Amino acid sequence: MELVLDTVRKTFGGVVAVDDVSAVMPQDKITALIGPNGAGKTTLFNAITGFDPPDRGSISFGDRRIDGLPPWRVAELGLIRTFQTPVGFTTLTVRESMLTAATPHFAETPAGALGLSRRARDHERTAEARAEEITAELDMADLLDVRTDELSAGDRKLLEFARSLMAEPKMLLLDEPAAAVAPANIGRLSQLVRRLCDERGLGSLIIDHNLSFLMQIADEVHVLDRGALLASGPPAEIAANPDVMRVYLGEDKESDGSPPEAASDTVEGAG
């Protein structure tokens, strides 16, 4: 299964935010989407996930065309996204917040809500065990009973990622998952994303300005510049591309093939 973009275009007034982008992202691989401020990365995410449909072009996931579908329907098909600014229920605990992402329709009936449905009770027990397993992998087990609004900015980002896994995705779309996360936790996040891909075939499309993080885990990198696709290829090829260096560093120069790490500390913003 693949996520396929075919000449996707999105404008806001006279500004072209996404300029006829075509790309293929395998469901079982890790794909990075990079670019400087205003490159169109988040706009492209919004187009894929139904928050801001494209003006033209098509977006398909597997054999299903998804452009024009509402966000809830895109998520129902297995494309689960996170956001730059974590969303959720600030007064719930981490455990409760995790469980909201795993609530099926049958548990939302009056009987399910009151715990009177055996099916709903069985599902809740399974979901609680899964929440404990995921938070343990992210070294967040001791935060399960902490309210979301009491978490640090980095832990809220990790919770956002953990909640996305509770929805049993077919592919993850991660918007700045490493932002504000402590270096040690970025390492755990990297390991988990890579392991989910290698062992379970759960791939990701990731935006992040931490290029070291992306270059270490990505199988393929797409570079956007002013809404257009500038380059695509494996991380080593992208790191050696003089056009990519020019976009990030403002000059043409030879590269030794190492990731453009200097840009990871200087390139910030929504994109």
Side-chain angles (χ1 to χ4, degrees):
M1 187 179 290
E2 296 173 328
L3 175 62
V4 180
L5 313 181
D6 185 8
T7 58
V8 173
R9 185 178 180 86
K10 181 66 184 181
T11 61
F12 297 97
V15 177
V16 179
V18 176
D19 191 2
D20 292 341
V21 170
S22 295
V24 176
M25 294 95 163
Q27 175 211 2
D28 58 352
K29 300 293 182 183
I30 298 175
T31 304
L33 184 63
I34 69 173
N37 287 352
K41 303 181 297 298
T42 295
T43 300
L44 190 58
F45 253 41
N46 289 340
I48 293 170
T49 53
F51 287 88
D52 217 339
D55 299 323
R56 72 177 189 214
S58 66
I59 304 172
S60 300
F61 186 51
D63 59 0
R64 178 69 185 268
R65 186 165 171 175
I66 64 172
D67 53 282
L69 294 181
W72 66 267
R73 184 68 181 118
V74 175
E76 198 173 58
L77 293 172
L79 280 173
I80 304 297
R81 75 166 291 178
T82 65
F83 295 84
Q84 286 183 19
T85 301
V87 297
F89 307 96
T90 57
T91 60
L92 297 184
T93 66
V94 168
R95 187 192 308 274
E96 292 165 341
S97 184
M98 294 279 284
L99 293 178
T100 63
T103 304
H105 294 305
F106 63 77
E108 295 176 347
T109 63
L114 293 172
L116 302 178
S117 163
R118 180 177 178 180
R119 185 183 181 195
R121 290 198 302 271
D122 289 345
H123 175 82
E124 184 173 358
R125 282 192 291 268
T126 300
E128 285 186 353
R130 180 165 169 75
E132 291 175 0
E133 176 187 354
I134 292 171
T135 50
E137 288 187 287
L138 287 168
D139 199 27
M140 296 178 66
D142 59 337
L143 299 176
L144 276 168
D145 296 314
V146 176
R147 278 178 37 146
T148 302
D149 58 4
E150 296 174 356
L151 297 176
S152 67
D155 284 336
R156 284 197 295 271
K157 292 292 290 190
L158 290 177
L159 173 59
E160 180 95 338
F161 174 71
R163 287 180 69 244
S164 72
L165 296 180
M166 291 293 291
E168 299 184 357
K170 294 179 180 176
M171 186 175 185
L172 292 170
L173 284 80
L174 306 176
D175 195 347
E176 299 281 0
V181 176
N185 284 336
I186 290 177
R188 295 186 187 96
L189 177 64
S190 299
Q191 292 171 7
L192 182 55
V193 171
R194 187 71 260 175
R195 188 166 73 250
L196 288 169
C197 181
D198 293 342
E199 297 179 2
R200 304 183 194 177
L202 175 59
S204 305
L205 174 61
I206 309 176
I207 296 172
D208 210 284
H209 288 107
N210 186 329
L211 297 188
S212 296
F213 161 67
L214 290 180
M215 293 293 187
Q216 288 171 7
I217 66 171
D219 299 301
E220 186 87 358
V221 181
H222 297 294
V223 186
L224 288 181
D225 181 30
R226 286 179 266 188
L229 191 61
L230 176 68
S232 297
E237 181 181 309
I238 293 300
N241 187 313
D243 289 331
V244 176
M245 295 299 100
R246 172 182 51 78
V247 165
Y248 271 104
L249 304 179
E251 59 184 40
D252 289 304
K253 59 186 292 186
E254 293 295 324
S255 170
D256 60 4
S258 60
E261 294 182 339
S264 68
D265 295 328
T266 58
V267 180
E268 300 178 352

